[in-house]
Amino acid sequence: MENQANGLGKVNKKLTSVEKATSTILKNIPVLPSHEEIVLNSLGKTLAKPVTALLSNPPSNVSSMDGYALKNSDIDNGVLEFKVIDESVAGKSSSKTVETMQTVRIFTGAKIPHGADRVILQENINSLGNNLIKINKNNLENNNFFIRKAGMDFKLGEKLIDKGEVLNTRNISLCVASGNSWVTIRRKPKIGIISTGNELLKFGEIQNSKNNDKIISSNDIFLFNFINQLGGEAFILPTAKDDIKSLTNILDEANDLDLIISSGGASVGDYDIVQRALEKNNFELLFWRIAMRPGKPLFFGLLEKIPFLGLPGNPVSTGVCSIIFLTKIIQKFFGRQVSENIAMMRVNCSLDKNDHRKDFIRSKVIKGINNDYIVEPFAKQDSSQISLFAKAQGFIIREPHENKIKKGTKVPVLLISENI
Ligand code: AMP
Ligand code: MG
């Protein structure tokens, strides 16, 4: 009955597993092309080629302290008085060669002069006047020569940052210091977002007594921020009404995108028109409906070769499916390692036997008495509850058909990153 109303062809009753869905999606997501970019503009972008040191740091042996550079063999031979023959400052080194019983006044970062192989801290010497110093032997730190060897930090040609890494403030400074003014980065994926639903008001539109059967669309804003936060480039396309023509018109204009995401209308109701509209546009459906809670109506396919992810409209379903699938899609576009941040934590209540769907239980993480982390699922798990989704710090992952779990058992928790 529902299939007839929906108008879709034969529906595969068997739900696709989350793992199969993930591999099908990722097989159809290409790694995007790369280009050269000035490193100053590279914050948050992904390296397509590793960064290699174009110089060594430090470029030569330098002092790590303010003091006096001299021969260690003199110290070994019990020499205590030295003649100061020159000065070596960071950026202005001494060209003199240090002979026995001679020293060069030296400062942090300055090049160690020829002949010297040890620095004595300035607080360990007394000045005798006439360019003579005497070492206060009691304070000598025998095992520290206070020299940073050339290339101690990194050496010319050394691989410093792997491809696939996201450039952050720290590794950009490493690029700069290692002489890399340009880096090879991946192009950002351009991702179009289409919300569907007759009930949707756009951000900024006001709900009033005449339209109180309407709701403010939040999925598009969520997806926009989510994509941008993960380094992609999001475009909110017009909102589609629940009719095929409205969606088809929007799809006709959706050019030059690496991925299209719809929210809503993915299920089997009379007004769930997304797949029917797509079918009219040469759509190749790769799966529909997955063994997952929330997110069962999710589908994925190719629209004229463009990957198309159909998300369910419930905001928590959109959110959880984005965290589970869209994160990996974006990682793949960037050629990054596809990964999830999962930690094992004790659960502070018992959990019933699970059914056939993989469950992602919205939860909060609390500090236990031993400073370990404990996971606490929210009592309510309805997929419409934006307020609880906003508070969640992670999802307890429950495999299909998993047995009852006792309070205190360690369970896998997928941690939601703080900026999502
Ligand atoms: P649907 O998947 O279209 O059946 O929608 C499921 C539920 O999600 C309905 O209660 C919709 O009103 C709601 N919904 C759909 N799209 C959005 C959206 N863009 N923002 C917030 N809620 C939505
Ligand atoms: Mg709808």
Side-chain angles (χ1 to χ4, degrees):
M1 179 68 185
E2 52 182 30
N3 298 343
Q4 277 165 15
N6 184 281
L8 292 168
K10 250 193 168 175
V11 174
N12 183 1
K13 282 267 164 53
K14 201 166 173 291
L15 303 181
T16 303
S17 71
V18 172
E19 291 69 26
K20 178 82 181 86
T22 307
S23 66
T24 303
I25 291 173
L26 293 181
K27 240 183 257 159
N28 287 283
I29 300 295
V31 175
L32 294 177
S34 59
H35 60 271
E36 297 296 299
E37 180 120 343
I38 191 149
V39 74
L40 301 178
N41 276 345
S42 68
L43 186 64
K45 297 181 182 172
T46 304
L47 281 178
K49 279 190 192 157
V51 170
T52 303
L54 301 179
L55 44 83
S56 295
N57 190 43
S60 54
N61 294 349
V62 297
S63 178
S64 66
M65 298 296 261
D66 295 333
Y68 290 83
L70 44 72
K71 285 184 176 308
N72 182 52
S73 54
D74 280 352
I75 304 288
D76 284 347
N77 293 334
V79 179
L80 290 179
E81 282 185 26
F82 292 83
K83 186 164 176 56
V84 184
I85 56 162
D86 200 6
E87 188 178 80
S88 183
V89 184
K92 192 167 185 294
S93 38
S94 166
S95 55
K96 297 257 171 70
T97 297
V98 175
E99 306 289 355
T100 183
M101 298 173 77
Q102 292 183 340
T103 186
V104 163
R105 176 73 170 119
I106 198 160
F107 300 93
T108 306
K111 191 171 172 180
I112 303 289
H114 286 297
D117 55 4
R118 179 169 189 174
V119 172
I120 304 293
L121 301 187
Q122 63 185 27
E123 44 272 46
N124 290 346
I125 70 103
N126 293 315
S127 172
L128 303 177
N130 282 337
N131 287 334
L132 283 177
I133 59 155
K134 182 166 189 197
I135 294 175
N136 181 354
K137 212 178 167 197
N138 298 335
N139 290 339
L140 226 48
E141 296 191 36
N142 283 327
N143 47 10
N144 196 340
F145 287 14
F146 301 106
I147 291 176
R148 294 180 180 140
K149 287 271 166 63
M152 182 190 93
D153 188 7
F154 49 80
K155 293 187 176 61
L156 171 72
E158 187 178 329
K159 183 157 98 173
L160 299 176
I161 316 170
D162 238 324
K163 70 172 183 183
E165 293 281 320
V166 181
L167 289 163
N168 59 26
T169 53
R170 284 172 294 141
N171 50 30
I172 287 176
S173 75
L174 179 57
C175 293
V176 170
S178 60
N180 288 281
S181 315
W182 292 81
V183 282
T184 312
I185 61 148
R186 292 258 168 242
R187 170 167 80 66
K188 290 179 172 197
K190 294 181 194 160
I191 303 177
I193 302 160
I194 305 174
S195 306
T196 70
N198 292 335
E199 76 281 30
L200 299 179
L201 296 173
K202 282 201 271 302
F203 170 78
E205 283 184 315
I206 294 170
Q207 201 182 41
N208 56 35
S209 55
K210 286 196 199 108
N211 68 6
N212 63 8
D213 54 350
K214 308 255 176 186
I215 61 160
I216 301 169
S217 173
S218 57
N219 288 348
D220 41 5
I221 306 298
F222 169 82
L223 288 163
F224 180 82
N225 285 324
F226 187 92
I227 291 161
N228 289 332
Q229 200 67 262
L230 267 67
E233 195 173 1
F235 300 90
I236 298 183
L237 304 178
T239 299
K241 295 281 177 220
D242 289 321
D243 68 72
I244 293 177
K245 183 101 190 63
S246 168
L247 182 55
T248 305
N249 288 344
I250 295 165
L251 292 173
D252 286 346
E253 300 294 314
N255 300 316
D256 196 26
L257 294 167
D258 298 299
L259 172 71
I260 302 173
I261 303 178
S262 63
S263 94
S267 198
V268 289
D270 291 3
Y271 292 90
D272 291 330
I273 50 82
V274 177
Q275 278 192 60
R276 278 180 283 157
L278 289 170
E279 273 184 352
K280 297 205 180 316
N281 286 270
N282 246 339
F283 182 63
E284 185 191 347
L285 180 70
L286 296 176
F287 68 79
W288 177 34
R289 306 206 301 172
I290 57 172
M292 170 174 175
R293 182 176 31 245
K296 183 175 158 192
L298 184 97
F299 71 85
F300 179 76
L302 299 171
L303 179 67
E304 314 272 6
K305 300 218 171 83
I306 302 174
F308 191 109
L309 184 67
L311 298 177
N314 270 309
V316 181
S317 309
T318 281
V320 174
C321 288
S322 298
I323 291 171
I324 305 300
F325 299 106
L326 186 50
T327 306
K328 297 185 184 105
I329 291 175
I330 295 175
Q331 288 170 334
K332 175 81 190 283
F333 273 133
F334 279 125
R336 292 180 199 152
Q337 186 85 29
V338 171
S339 65
E340 276 177 339
N341 193 8
I342 295 178
M344 297 300 289
M345 291 180 196
R346 288 184 202 289
V347 57
N348 77 343
C349 61
S350 63
L351 300 170
D352 288 340
K353 181 172 167 50
N354 195 19
D355 64 5
H356 60 293
R357 286 155 74 186
K358 187 162 180 167
D359 215 345
F360 294 88
I361 303 173
R362 278 74 73 199
S363 308
K364 173 167 108 170
V365 173
I366 47 180
K367 266 239 166 109
I369 37 171
N370 304 324
N371 263 347
D372 55 345
Y373 290 99
I374 294 176
V375 62
E376 178 178 281
F378 295 134
K380 292 192 178 142
Q381 293 286 330
D382 191 276
S383 59
S384 67
Q385 290 176 291
I386 307 173
S387 55
L388 289 180
F389 182 57
K391 282 199 190 102
Q393 291 161 299
F395 309 133
I396 298 176
I397 304 176
R398 299 215 57 205
E399 293 302 326
H401 307 294
E402 194 179 86
N403 279 330
K404 191 172 174 346
I405 281 176
K406 284 204 203 103
K407 178 177 173 174
T409 308
K410 280 199 166 177
V411 293
V413 180
L414 192 151
L415 296 167
I416 307 171
S417 91
E418 266 176 31
N419 53 7
I420 292 300

